[in-house]
Structures are given as C-alpha cells and as structure tokens.
Amino acid sequence: MIKNPFLLKGYVSAEYFCNREIETDKMISAIENSRDLTLISPRRLGKTGLIYHVLNQENIKNKYVPIYCDIYQTSNLADFAKVLSNAVFNQIEKTPEKILKKIKQFLSNLSPSVSFNPLTLQAEIDLKIRNVKEAENSIQQIFSLIEKSKKPVVLAIDEFQQITRYPEQNVEALLRTHIQQMTDTRIVFSGSSKHLLSAIFSDYNRPFYHSTQLLTLPKISKNDYSKFISTKFGDAKRSIDDEAISHILDLTRIHTYYVQYFCNRLFESKKRNITKEDPDKTLLDILVENEEYYYTYRNLLTGQQFSLLKAIGKEDGIEKPSSKDFMQKYQLGTTSTINSAIKSLLSKDLIFKEDNKYLVYDVFFSLWLKLLN
Ligand SMILES: Nc1ncnc2c1ncn2[C@@H]1O[C@H](COP(=O)(O)OP(=O)(O)OP(=O)(O)O)[C@@H](O)[C@H]1O
Ligand SMILES: [Mg+2]
C-alpha cells in the first residue's frame, strides 16, 4: 500500500498521476498514426512519468508491446546496445532462462550471460562487446528483432541526448538508418538537455532532422494541480486550504518534481487540516536539510558566478542580466563578465531559460539563495 500519495520516483498508476490528458492523447494519436515522437522539457517536469503513463494505457498495452529504456548512464555504443538488449529481452521473455535462450539465438557471438537482480526483479544481461563493429551489429540485430515482433513495438528511448556524448563517429547516422527502416515500430525519444536534443532533431545538417513530431511538455496547469493536491489530502480524510495550495504552487513555480516533493513533506506532517501558515514551515525544513548541498555549490563556483546566481534567485528570475539596473543593484561587474558567468551557469545546469527569463534551475536552491544576505 502507498502511504504517501505524492510520489517522488517511478510511476505507479493513473491514480497518483496528475492530469497530462492532452499530452497523453497527443502521444497516443502519434503512435496510432505511425509518427515517431520527441518529448522535450526541462529536467524534472514529468517526461519519464508521462512516457510510463502512456505505455500503461489500456489501448497501448493491448495493441503494442511497450518497451522503455533509459540511456542516461550510457557513454558509448556498446553501452547503448546493452541497455537496449536488457529492455527488449526483459519485455519479450519473462524468466532469466528463457531470456538467455532467446539472447543466445540472436547475439551468441557476444557471449551473453544473464543474472537475476532481486531488487529490480529483472534479468540483467551482460554482453561482451569488444569493438565498435560488434556494437553496431548487435544494435542492428536488436532493432531487427523489435521490428519483427508480432505485435508492433512502442520503443521509448529516454535521455536520448546522451548519444551526442558518445565518442564514436556517425552515431546519429547509424541510429537514424536503422530507425528509418523500422516501419512497424513507433519510437518515442525523450530528453531534457534542450539545446542538445533540439539540435539532433532541428539541425538541417543532421540525420534526425525533422524526422519526428516534437512535443514540448508544458507545466501542469495551476487549476489541475490544485485539484489533484486537494483530492489526495481529501482521500486521506485530511484537508488543505486553497490558499495553502496556491502558496505551494507559487513557491514551486508548479515545477512537477518540486510540487511533489513539497506535498510529500507536507503530507508526512500528519496535520489533519493544513492551513496557509503550514507551507512556510515545511519550506524551512527542506531548506535547512539541503543547506550542505547549497554550500557545496557555492564552493564549486567562482565568486562572480555565485553572486550572479544569488542575484537571479533574489529576483525570482531575470530577463536581462546585463541590464544596468540589475548589474548595479547587485554590483555584478561588467557586461562581459556577466555574459561569461551566464554561459557557465547554463552549462552547469544551475540556471535555465523559461519564458525569456533566466531562473535558478533548482526551485529550493533558488528560495534558499533568496534568504541569503
Ligand atoms: N503528472 C504527474 N503527476 C504527479 N507526479 C508526477 C507527474 N509527472 C511526474 N511526476 C513526478 O514528478 C517527478 C519528476 O518526474 P519525471 O521523473 O517524470 O521528470 P523528467 O522530466 O523525466 O525528469 P528528468 O529530466 O530529471 O529525467 C517524479 O517524482 C514523478 O513521480
Ligand atoms: Mg526523466
């Protein structure tokens, strides 16, 4: 049984999932109309959750074989082949013995071995891939196995921007060639590094140029999230004021993970009736707990970068960091030092751009910065 309805990882069921009806319909429609998709959003807004939600819909499960793989941890083509084979073989066969039998038919030259991971309840496949050629061949074989599936496959590849970091040449061209031939398989690409992922799909000179439908995940609406929060407290025979909800959603900028985390902590408090004073107490707890992390960030940045970050936090985001007023107010030096600090903070994913404003990525860190002198 789930004690706290505000989940912080994984996907359980629609019951714990707020809305996303429009996006779910769009994705199902793309799948049913044979269009591959690319799902993009800033980190922690709910891409992975949405993919699971879509793959979990009855009409998808009935008509397709849903396969999900996350390539975040991969750093080359061989890793990609391993992650892909784990996802595929675990889905098409149910026991480690059957998986081993099947995989030996397909990838016997890679001395496959299979062990059982009691934590994930999944079989773990290991392949001995010795060079790029073997990695390429195994990827080709796995893709062709997917394509031959009796029921068509929906293959979700999460954190797809990772392929741009692989050391091998022509990775995109290689994958694109295979994927183009997979006419029965629907692919959902997803990732968060906006510049990297957009470049793969919207740069005219790159293999994946305009090959998929782009879906940029928006925030959940304030109204829908309010209802969800209120219902979840209500289901537990507790209440939460509208004002308190509104305050939480403002503090967290309705950024999914931070809303979930905040509500998870508030739910933990066991208070029966939550009123508008309660969220600030919860916020303080969270900020104090995380303080060690925040100090570490400070030590990793130059004085200039940290001052700028703090100023952005204090302003709740800034449209023009090199504007005179902003620079003077926080004594930030020259335009060129600010520009290079912005670049550096962007590349470290400490800030990002939303609606033309630079914001501190981590909502709680941003609120902590606001409290500094
Ligand atoms: N619609 C939703 N309703 C409730 N919780 C959600 C919803 N979508 C996502 N979540 C929760 O929000 C958190 C972040 O979601 P998720 O991991 O899907 O984001 P992401 O965009 O894939 O992040 P990342 O870029 O870091 O991979 C998770 O705790 C997840 O359980
Ligand atoms: Mg994700």
Side-chain angles (χ1 to χ4, degrees):
M1 205 195 75
I2 289 171
K3 285 201 186 113
N4 192 318
F6 299 101
L7 305 182
L8 302 178
K9 53 183 179 181
Y11 174 84
V12 173
S13 69
E15 194 186 337
Y16 303 99
F17 196 71
C18 174
N19 194 302
R20 294 294 189 209
E21 282 170 23
I22 295 173
E23 294 79 18
T24 304
D25 286 350
K26 274 190 188 169
M27 287 177 69
I28 292 177
S29 181
I31 292 167
E32 290 185 331
N33 289 283
S34 309
R35 295 191 303 270
D36 292 343
L37 265 173
T38 303
L39 181 62
I40 298 187
S41 83
R43 297 215 73 91
R44 298 178 151 186
L45 209 61
K47 297 173 295 294
T48 303
L50 178 59
I51 293 174
Y52 274 109
H53 186 63
V54 168
L55 296 182
N56 199 42
Q57 299 297 306
E58 282 306 315
N59 50 351
I60 293 291
K61 281 197 292 192
N62 291 340
K63 286 188 244 163
Y64 302 88
V65 180
I67 298 179
Y68 170 86
C69 62
D70 176 349
I71 62 167
Y72 189 69
Q73 303 278 6
T74 63
S75 45
N76 51 44
L77 275 179
D79 288 349
F80 181 89
K82 284 180 206 168
V83 169
L84 188 66
S85 63
N86 270 286
V88 170
F89 288 99
N90 265 293
Q91 182 58 272
I92 57 178
E93 294 293 354
K94 292 298 164 218
T95 66
E97 296 74 29
K98 284 188 177 164
I99 289 175
L100 187 61
K101 200 171 155 206
K102 188 98 182 173
I103 202 166
K104 277 189 168 163
Q105 285 169 7
F106 279 88
L107 303 168
S108 55
N109 57 326
L110 303 178
S111 336
S113 61
V114 176
S115 57
F116 184 70
N117 182 334
L119 279 180
T120 59
L121 300 178
Q122 296 245 311
E124 251 166 44
I125 298 162
D126 193 29
L127 303 171
K128 302 271 173 296
I129 299 175
R130 284 159 294 236
N131 53 49
V132 179
K133 197 82 228 141
E134 285 188 350
E136 287 180 8
N137 286 342
S138 53
I139 291 169
Q140 181 177 10
Q141 274 166 301
I142 302 163
F143 276 145
S144 79
L145 175 70
I146 294 174
E147 179 68 3
K148 279 189 213 127
S149 165
K150 270 192 220 112
K151 246 191 194 181
V153 169
V154 180
L155 173 66
I157 310 180
D158 207 352
E159 306 288 358
F160 190 62
Q161 76 281 350
Q162 203 60 26
I163 65 161
T164 60
R165 302 181 201 270
Y166 293 178
E168 292 92 351
Q169 305 262 299
N170 304 325
V171 172
E172 288 171 41
L174 171 90
L175 295 178
R176 169 80 176 125
T177 307
H178 293 316
I179 285 167
Q180 209 161 16
Q181 288 158 1
M182 297 169 76
T183 49
D184 281 346
T185 307
R186 293 286 57 83
I187 315 228
V188 178
F189 301 98
S190 173
S192 52
S193 232
K194 192 165 183 215
H195 48 292
L196 287 180
L197 200 60
S198 313
I200 298 178
F201 294 96
S202 39
D203 182 339
Y204 182 77
N205 294 310
R206 291 170 75 159
F208 279 96
Y209 174 71
H210 281 197
S211 62
T212 71
Q213 177 183 343
L214 220 56
L215 183 62
T216 306
L217 191 63
K219 289 185 174 178
I220 294 171
S221 78
K222 192 166 180 180
N223 203 10
D224 289 333
Y225 229 143
S226 301
K227 278 192 219 145
F228 179 78
I229 295 169
S230 154
T231 308
K232 292 296 152 207
F233 276 94
D235 289 349
K237 311 241 170 333
R238 295 164 65 180
S239 73
I240 177 163
D241 281 2
D242 286 346
E243 265 177 293
I245 296 180
S246 179
H247 187 40
I248 294 167
L249 294 174
D250 290 342
L251 283 172
T252 55
R253 307 182 202 135
I254 326 182
H255 198 126
T256 317
Y257 171 79
Y258 300 97
V259 178
Q260 292 292 116
Y261 191 83
F262 208 115
C263 292
N264 180 291
R265 296 301 300 264
L266 204 54
F267 193 91
E268 176 192 29
S269 75
K270 302 223 162 50
K271 207 173 161 220
R272 198 147 276 283
N273 304 304
I274 311 253
T275 54
K276 73 171 198 286
E277 296 78 37
D278 294 310
D280 283 332
K281 286 182 225 150
T282 303
L283 177 65
L284 205 60
D285 286 345
I286 296 171
L287 297 187
V288 170
E289 277 167 23
N290 284 339
E291 210 156 39
E292 286 293 316
Y293 292 129
Y294 303 151
Y295 282 124
T296 315
Y297 283 135
R298 192 173 68 177
N299 296 337
L300 290 173
L301 297 174
T302 64
Q304 176 72 30
Q305 290 163 353
F306 190 76
S307 302
L308 178 60
L309 192 67
K310 191 166 92 181
I312 296 174
K314 285 196 176 291
E315 293 288 308
D316 282 323
I318 181 85
E319 203 165 316
K320 293 202 176 67
S322 50
S323 73
K324 225 175 172 179
D325 289 349
F326 179 69
M327 279 166 56
Q328 271 172 4
K329 183 169 171 192
Y330 295 99
Q331 300 177 339
L332 291 171
T334 64
T335 316
S336 83
T337 51
I338 291 204
N339 287 342
S340 71
I342 285 277
K343 243 192 212 158
S344 164
L345 294 175
L346 280 172
S347 75
K348 293 182 168 71
D349 269 351
L350 284 169
I351 58 171
F352 75 121
K353 229 175 166 180
E354 181 180 272
D355 303 332
N356 280 328
K357 253 186 176 181
Y358 292 101
L359 294 165
V360 177
Y361 219 131
D362 182 318
V363 168
F364 297 138
F365 187 29
S366 188
L367 293 167
W368 181 80
L369 289 167
K370 223 173 157 174
L371 298 177
L372 291 182
N373 287 325

